Amino acid sequence: MRKLHMVLSWLLLAVLIAGLAPALAVAQEGQPTETPPSLTMYSDYPSMVIGMGEDVTITLRLKAQGKAQVAHLDLRGLPEGWTATFKGGGRAIKAVYVPLEDSASVSLTLELPDGVASGTYAFTVTARSDVAQAEWPLEVTVKEKAPSRLTFDTDLPLVTGSPNTTFRFTATLKNEGDEDLMVNLTSEVPSGFGATFRVAGQETTSFPLEANQSKTVSIEVKAYSNPTAGDYPITVHADAGSASASLSLTVRVTGSPDLKISAPNGRLSADAYAGKEASVKVTISNEGSAPARGVRLSASEPANWTVEFDPKEIAEIPAGQEVEVTAKIRPAEKAVAGDYMVTVRASTEGTATESADFRITVRTSTLWGVVGVALIAIAVGVVALAVMRFGRR
C-alpha cells in the first residue's frame, strides 16, 4: 500500500512537470536576448602613401555594442623612431569613451624620423575595454617625393576677334609634384594690350596649387588701343620657385578700314573764281584696323561745275596712314559770287565709304573789279566835265 502511494505521487509530479513545460518555454521566448558586449574599430584608409619628411594623420572610428565602454588605445609593432599620438578634442588622449550604439572618432598622428628609408611599414592599433577589445591593422608606404613640376595647357591657343573684343582663353595648370606650390602668373603682351587672370571666378595673379592637383585658369586679353589686323603673340608664365611653365597663345585681330576726309589745315573750305580752276588739298585717312584698298574718289558739285581728283584712285591706304590728293574745282562761267557746297566722297572695294562737304566761296574776278572802277571813274569824269561846261553858262 505504501509503495502504491509513492508510485502515484511520482506519476502526479511527472504530469505536473509535463503540463508546466510549454508555459515555461513560452515565457522564456517572450524575454529579450541580451547582446554580448563587443568593440569595433576601423579607418577609411587603412593603407596610405606619403613622401619622405611628411607626417600623417589617420582618423579612427570605434563602435560599441552591448554596453557603452571606455576603450584604452595603444599601438603594436610601431617602427622604431616613429612617434605616435592619439588625439581627441584637440588634445592628446590615451582612452576614448564609446557610447552604446554610436561611434567615437580618434585621430592618430604619426611623426616620422629624419632619414627614414623608403618602404612599406605595417603596425596595429589596439583598443581594449574591461569587457571587449578590437584591433585594426594599418600600413604606411614611404616613398621619395616627386620633383616639383608644372604643366600649362589649353585646347584653344588661338582666338579671333575685332579690335574691341575681349579675347578669352581657358587653360589648365597642373602641379605634377608631391609638394604644394604657390603659383604666380605673369604675361608678355604686345604694346597696347593687357592680360588678366581668373581662378575660380576671382581675378588674381597668385594662388596655391596642391600636390598632384590642377586648376582652371581663365586668361582675358584686351587691346587698349586700335590695333591693326594681324596675329599678336601672348605668353603666360606660371612660376612657383623651382617649378615653372609657360603657355603660348595667339590673338588674331580681324579689322576693317575706316575712312576719314579732311583738309591739311583742318578747314573744309576754299576760294574759287567763276570759270577758273582752283586746287584744293584733301586728306584721305584710314583710322580703321585693316588696309583700305582701291579707294575711289568722287564728288557732287553744283550745276555746270567740274571736279577732278589727282589721283583719281588710291591703290591702298594702310591702317593708321593718310594720303593727300588734289581736288581741281572749276565753278561755272556765270557763277554768282557766294558760298557753294561740294561733297567729296571716298569709297573702297569693300563697304567702307566716307563723305565730307567743302564750302567753296566764289569771288568776283579782280579784272572785272578794275574795269568796274575804271568805268565808274570815267562816268564821274564825264559828269564833272558836263557840270563844269554847262555850269558856266
Side-chain angles (χ1 to χ4, degrees), residues 139-153:
E139 185 179 87
V140 175
T141 300
V142 180
K143 69 172 187 177
E144 294 184 2
K145 291 183 179 180
S148 299
R149 182 170 178 265
L150 288 173
T151 57
F152 214 174
D153 298 302

Side-chain angles (χ1 to χ4, degrees), residues 78 109 116 149 156 235 260 274 308 353:
L78 186 68
T109 299
V116 63
R149 182 170 178 265
L156 191 64
T235 304
K260 300 295 180 183
E308 295 181 353
T353 301

Side-chain angles (χ1 to χ4, degrees), residues 51 54 143-148 175-180 211-212:
E54 292 183 354
K143 69 172 187 177
E144 294 184 2
K145 291 183 179 180
S148 299
N175 178 4
E176 296 187 345
D178 289 334
E179 292 186 355
D180 296 345
N212 297 299

Side-chain angles (χ1 to χ4, degrees), residues 182-303:
M182 178 60 70
V183 180
N184 295 307
L185 297 176
T186 57
S187 63
E188 294 180 27
V189 298
S191 177
F193 285 81
T196 57
F197 312 103
R198 291 184 181 275
V199 177
Q202 300 295 320
E203 184 172 331
T204 184
T205 57
S206 179
F207 58 92
L209 185 58
E210 293 77 13
N212 297 299
Q213 298 296 315
S214 61
K215 286 189 177 181
T216 299
V217 179
S218 297
I219 305 164
E220 297 182 357
V221 179
K222 189 172 181 62
Y224 296 105
S225 59
N226 189 22
T228 59
D231 291 350
Y232 295 86
I234 309 292
T235 304
V236 180
H237 300 285
D239 297 302
S242 60
S244 63
S246 297
L247 181 65
S248 296
L249 306 171
T250 301
V251 166
R252 177 167 294 171
V253 177
T254 56
S256 60
D258 184 12
L259 297 177
K260 300 295 180 183
I261 299 175
S262 62
N265 59 5
R267 297 177 57 188
L268 302 182
S269 62
D271 294 337
Y273 294 95
K276 292 188 176 181
E277 183 180 282
S279 294
V280 179
K281 297 297 183 181
V282 178
T283 301
I284 313 296
S285 59
N286 180 10
E287 298 181 2
S289 55
R293 295 185 175 89
V295 181
R296 298 177 297 275
L297 301 173
S298 60
S300 296
E301 66 277 356

